[in-house]
Amino acid sequence: MTLEHTRSWVRDLVRSGLLSSDALEAEVTAAVSDDHPELPARDTARDWLAAERAAWVEEARSWPASTDHDRLQAAFTCLAGHGIVVLQGCADHWAARDLLRERAPDLPRGVAWFTPADVWHAIDEGMLEVNLWHGSTANAAPGDDLLEEAIGCFARAGLEAHFDEGRIEVAAHWQRRPD
């Protein structure tokens, strides 16, 4: 991975807000060590993280009072009201499936989930792809009430969303505010 790609990845990791400070430092340190062994891994990770946090804080000052991230959270609250569990930054479909197994026999009506990579795409490109399953892990499909309710939740939150190739594509930038 080039230095530029690693720095871009660190930027997205920070702005996603999905990891604790300790987890962020550990992940970035490991990546620097693996991909850029000529650099002092821990010091480089700390420097890059500090720079990205400062840039994030500065950038957030220009955001409107209500961001797409705020609207996404409103949509996720709506989904929960319809019996759909939302897994933000879920590792993968196996992790989503395992959550359902843990809840058995009291399965939720549905599960909406997306990965960290989906969040990074929303940071950079303004589109979050959300998987939607029935509680049985069956994919939602056109004509499903579950899918219509989910798309309705995004619409009520002021976000455009449509179903395409097995996922809900939500036009939204992940503008999570710094903590």
Side-chain angles (χ1 to χ4, degrees):
M1 187 177 288
T2 68
L3 201 58
E4 181 180 316
H5 284 110
T6 305
R7 289 296 302 261
S8 178
W9 172 74
V10 171
R11 175 188 177 277
D12 287 347
L13 269 182
V14 168
R15 282 168 172 75
S16 73
L18 297 173
L19 297 175
S20 69
S21 293
D22 290 342
L24 265 173
E25 185 175 325
E27 192 145 339
V28 174
T29 299
V32 171
S33 178
D34 291 347
D35 296 340
H36 308 288
E38 72 282 4
L39 298 175
R42 177 182 257 165
D43 290 342
T44 300
R46 287 180 176 166
D47 290 346
W48 288 358
L49 287 168
E52 290 305 333
R53 283 186 188 112
W56 182 27
V57 167
E58 184 62 32
E59 183 181 319
R61 288 186 180 132
S62 69
W63 293 346
S66 179
T67 67
D68 285 349
H69 184 266
D70 297 324
R71 287 181 279 282
L72 284 166
Q73 298 310 308
F76 299 154
T77 298
C78 178
L79 290 169
H82 286 276
I84 301 169
V85 173
V86 179
L87 304 176
Q88 298 186 47
C90 184
D92 55 30
H93 73 277
W94 300 111
R97 185 208 58 198
D98 289 348
L99 172 94
L100 289 175
R101 286 187 176 165
E102 289 170 12
R103 291 179 174 231
D106 298 320
L107 295 175
R109 201 165 152 250
V111 177
W113 61 275
F114 49 90
T115 67
D118 294 323
V119 171
W120 305 336
H121 184 74
I123 291 168
D124 295 332
E125 303 298 329
M127 196 250 293
L128 180 67
E129 294 184 359
V130 179
N131 295 285
L132 181 64
W133 290 351
H134 291 274
S136 65
T137 72
N139 287 318
D144 283 353
D145 289 342
L146 191 71
L147 178 60
E148 296 308 316
E149 290 171 18
I151 290 177
C153 284
F154 289 112
R156 281 189 287 289
L159 297 167
E160 291 183 31
H162 67 275
F163 190 72
D164 186 45
E165 297 183 15
R167 298 176 85 177
I168 300 171
E169 294 181 351
V170 184
H173 283 91
W174 188 269
Q175 292 174 308
R176 182 176 179 154
R177 296 193 188 281
D179 297 330

